[in-house]
């Protein structure tokens, strides 16, 4: 078979170099101009929270690009670092195979594109280490594969953020008719609110078994799937928020305030925190052949997501039970849902958003890791493991993305209005008469 000699830019036609650079620059400019245009649209429409989320997303993409640049700059230096050969035989994602005849290393056939130029270029570094009886820390081809991983992570992260925004916004818009129906019913407001509050108490608080901790948690767990938020719950929580903050039922737009809260939450989840980068490093280190780390870790996001969803539903249950207790003591203040941080973990509503942030990032990274393996090594690579594992991981990834974007994050935006942090955000709002309930 004829060997391909590596050709430097010294001997490459200038039109080839110029054409490739032109295409890359053109694509980059289109992406940059598109993001700037989107930012201007958000600014003109006074969506400051979404604009800040876009700025944070651009910062994360810049960080990923800087990581890729560092890999390029220090590629030669790192490739010249030599380590003992027995270090390279431990914690491998795939088993090494050798040919019996020549006792030479066997390259897995699952790799789609054989990079002859990269292999020949890295040969000099291998020779440098082989003279010392060692092996290079990372080959040039390994650096190329890491570049692909960074690119895929960036693309999947952007797509995941878009899905969160679209599905979360679609879910919140479904609650808009409930807000409008309250403002239309200006006359019998007292009767309407009492009616919906009684519906909430009937479903969540009345009855001895519903007050039992185990039963209330079971109800909360399953409720997030079939009826995460009902109209009666929305109106009851709205009434409690308005009464606590002394706002007007007719003038205050609770739905608009909740949309702004969702946008602020979205601004938080588009970022990548330090502990999430730490998770990436640990994940890459634990991706060892035989451990099935990729498969078992795919269950972590959905377990955390179901736990967070159940907790949010359970907070609504506990708030309803508190109202039921107040109604049984007639000499006290009128009964309505009273915002409090008491039922949030460690009295910190923000902690639930941190869990949602971690869930979305981990799920996006695992999806990106799958596409990276598919692109770099092929479907039949040993890193893909069994087909049953692949299908299970993909199904779990889609479920987590849809469930978290469409149900859990909007539910968090609503439930956290019952926390003291949301009350503090209304300090600048003029105090108005609560009206007659």
């Amino acid at each position: 078979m004829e060997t391909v000699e590596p050709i430097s830019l010294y001997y490459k036609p200038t039109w080839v170099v110029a054409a490739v650079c032109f295409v890359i620059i053109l694509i980059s400019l289109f992406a940059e101009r598109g993001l700037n245009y989107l930012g201007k649209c958000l600014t003109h429409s006074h969506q400051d929270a979404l604009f800040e989320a876009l700025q944070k997303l651009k910062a994360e993409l810049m960080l990923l690009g800087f990581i890729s640049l560092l890999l390029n700059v220090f590629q030669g230096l790192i490739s010249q670092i030599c380590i003992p050969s027995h270090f390279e035989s431990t914690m491998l994602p795939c088993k090494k195979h050798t040919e019996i005849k020549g006792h030479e290393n066997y390259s897995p056939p699952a790799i789609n594109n054989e990079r002859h130029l990269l292999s020949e270029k890295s040969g000099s570094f291998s020779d440098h280490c082989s003279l010392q009886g060692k092996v290079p820390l990372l080959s040039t081809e390994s650096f190329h594969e890491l570049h692909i991983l960074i690119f895929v992570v960036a693309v999947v992260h952007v797509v995941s953020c878009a899905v969160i925004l679209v599905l979360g916004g679609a879910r919140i818009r479904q609650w808009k008719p409930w807000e409008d129906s309250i403002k239309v019913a200006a006359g019998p407001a007292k009767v309407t609110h009492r009616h919906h509050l009684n519906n909430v108490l009937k479903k969540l608080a009345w009855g001895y078994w519903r007050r039992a901790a185990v039963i209330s948690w079971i109800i909360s767990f399953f409720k997030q799937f079939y009826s995460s938020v009902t109209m009666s719950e929305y109106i009851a929580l709205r009434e409690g928020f308005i009464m606590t903050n002394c706002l007007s039922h007719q003038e205050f737009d609770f739905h608009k305030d909740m949309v702004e809260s969702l946008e602020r939450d979205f601004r938080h989840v588009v970022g990548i925190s330090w502990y999430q980068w730490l998770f990436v490093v640990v994940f890459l280190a634990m991706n060892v052949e035989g451990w099935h780390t990729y498969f078992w870790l795919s269950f972590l996001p959905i377990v955390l997501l179901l736990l967070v969803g159940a907790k949010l539903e359970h907070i609504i249950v506990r708030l309803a039970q508190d109202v039921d207790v107040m109604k049984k003591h007639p000499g006290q203040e009128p009964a309505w849902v009273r915002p409090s941080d008491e039922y949030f973990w460690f009295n910190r509503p923000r902690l639930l958003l941190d869990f949602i942030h971690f869930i979305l990032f981990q799920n996006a990274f695992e999806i990106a890791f799958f596409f990276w393996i598919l692109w770099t090594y092929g479907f039949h690579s040993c890193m893909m493991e069994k087909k049953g594992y692949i299908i299970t991981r993909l199904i779990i990834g889609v479920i987590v993305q849809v469930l978290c974007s469409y149900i859990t994050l909007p539910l968090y935006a609503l439930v956290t209005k019952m926390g003291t942090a949301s009350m503090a955000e209304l300090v600048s709002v003029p105090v108005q008469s609560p009206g007659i309930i």
Side-chain angles (χ1 to χ4, degrees), residues 74-93:
F74 295 103
Q75 175 176 316
L77 180 63
I78 296 176
S79 297
Q80 292 183 17
I81 300 176
C82 305
I83 59 175
S85 58
H86 63 272
F87 284 173
E88 201 182 38
S89 303
T90 58
M91 298 183 67
L92 298 176

Side-chain angles (χ1 to χ4, degrees), residues 225-298:
F225 301 111
Y226 65 89
S227 180
S228 60
V229 178
T230 64
M231 181 178 180
S232 295
E233 292 169 355
Y234 177 88
I235 295 176
L237 295 178
R238 178 186 185 275
E239 177 191 11
F241 183 81
I242 290 177
M243 291 293 294
T244 303
N245 292 280
C246 299
L247 303 171
S248 171
H249 276 281
Q250 299 303 318
E251 297 180 8
F252 181 72
D253 194 335
F254 182 72
H255 183 270
K256 180 181 178 181
D257 187 66
M258 191 170 53
V259 170
E260 294 175 353
S261 297
L262 179 65
E263 292 175 354
R264 288 191 293 268
D265 298 337
F266 177 74
R267 179 183 61 192
H268 179 75
V269 299
V270 298
I272 304 177
S273 304
W274 65 268
Y275 58 86
Q276 293 172 335
W277 285 114
L278 181 62
F279 163 78
V280 171
V281 175
V282 174
F283 177 84
L284 294 175
M286 295 179 62
N287 187 33
V288 180
E289 193 274 334
W291 290 13
H292 306 294
T293 306
Y294 187 20
F295 174 73
W296 293 115
L297 279 180
S298 63

Side-chain angles (χ1 to χ4, degrees), residues 29 35 63 80 97 198 201 203 236 251 292 294 326 379 400:
L29 285 176
L35 290 176
L63 177 60
Q80 292 183 17
H97 300 280
N198 288 334
L201 298 180
K203 293 181 179 179
E251 297 180 8
H292 306 294
Y294 187 20
M326 285 188 291
F379 186 79
V400 169

Side-chain angles (χ1 to χ4, degrees), residues 379-391:
F379 186 79
H380 299 286
S381 169
C382 60
M383 295 179 69
M384 282 288 191
E385 299 180 329
K386 298 179 180 178
K387 291 183 179 180
Y389 292 169
I390 299 173
I391 297 174

